[in-house]
Amino acid sequence: MAKHLTDKEALRIVELLDGWRGKLTWSASQSACKRVIGRSPARQSLDRVVRIKEAFQLVKTRLKDGMQVQKAPPNMQVAIERIARLTQENERLVKENSMLLEQFIVWQYNAHVRGLSDRDLNKALPRVDLRKTE
């Protein structure tokens, strides 16, 4: 059975996709994952993680629209690549933030329908006694 991706691995893969240049396929991304996380997850494993799937689609759209790093003098190439990667990361984070806000609105509505008050929702988490073993 395939091992599921951890949150840390998913973040590393998304960061890899933020800086992606050249043709992007599931196969190419799986090979690149081997260098980043030490293993090559199945396409289905990558597709199952929403953050990775969204980042993959953003890169595909960007590449389709022709927003690739252009040729420049060697001393400027590093700066251009960094700006492109940060721009792509920012675009992805804005989209993720929007999706989280949508999820919050759904939760807010469901809490209202079930009669939960702000007081119920803002109640502190119970303390955990780390000395206890259960």
Side-chain angles (χ1 to χ4, degrees):
M1 183 168 173
K3 181 180 173 195
H4 295 289
L5 293 170
T6 66
D7 288 339
K8 193 173 191 176
E9 289 172 333
L11 179 60
R12 301 273 319 265
I13 293 168
V14 167
E15 288 171 347
L16 168 76
L17 291 170
D18 284 340
W20 194 272
R21 291 188 324 246
K23 186 175 179 178
L24 177 63
T25 62
W26 285 112
S27 177
S29 63
Q30 286 174 283
S31 299
C33 286
K34 184 146 182 90
R35 292 189 311 270
V36 174
I37 64 171
R39 62 189 177 98
S40 182
R43 181 194 60 78
Q44 292 84 353
S45 294
L46 294 173
D47 192 49
R48 189 177 303 126
V49 180
V50 175
R51 291 181 76 189
I52 295 173
K53 186 176 183 176
E54 291 294 326
F56 188 90
Q57 291 304 320
L58 282 172
V59 173
K60 291 292 270 189
T61 302
R62 177 179 48 84
L63 293 174
K64 183 177 146 192
D65 293 343
M67 294 174 46
Q68 293 192 16
V69 176
Q70 300 174 7
K71 295 290 180 188
N75 59 347
M76 293 294 291
Q77 192 65 32
V78 173
I80 290 171
E81 289 175 3
R82 183 165 190 250
I83 290 169
R85 184 183 52 76
L86 290 172
T87 302
Q88 294 160 20
E89 179 181 2
N90 187 43
E91 185 179 315
R92 175 184 53 80
L93 290 172
V94 166
K95 187 168 183 159
E96 280 184 22
N97 190 43
S98 176
M99 290 170 50
L100 289 171
L101 288 173
E102 288 176 18
Q103 181 66 55
F104 177 75
I105 290 169
V106 169
W107 288 345
Q108 185 179 27
Y109 172 77
N110 289 333
H112 171 72
V113 167
R114 286 164 180 74
L116 294 174
S117 68
D118 289 346
R119 189 174 175 189
D120 294 328
L121 295 172
N122 291 321
K123 187 188 291 186
L125 293 174
R127 292 187 50 92
V128 176
D129 186 1
L130 297 176
R131 293 175 288 175
K132 260 188 177 178
T133 56
E134 289 188 273

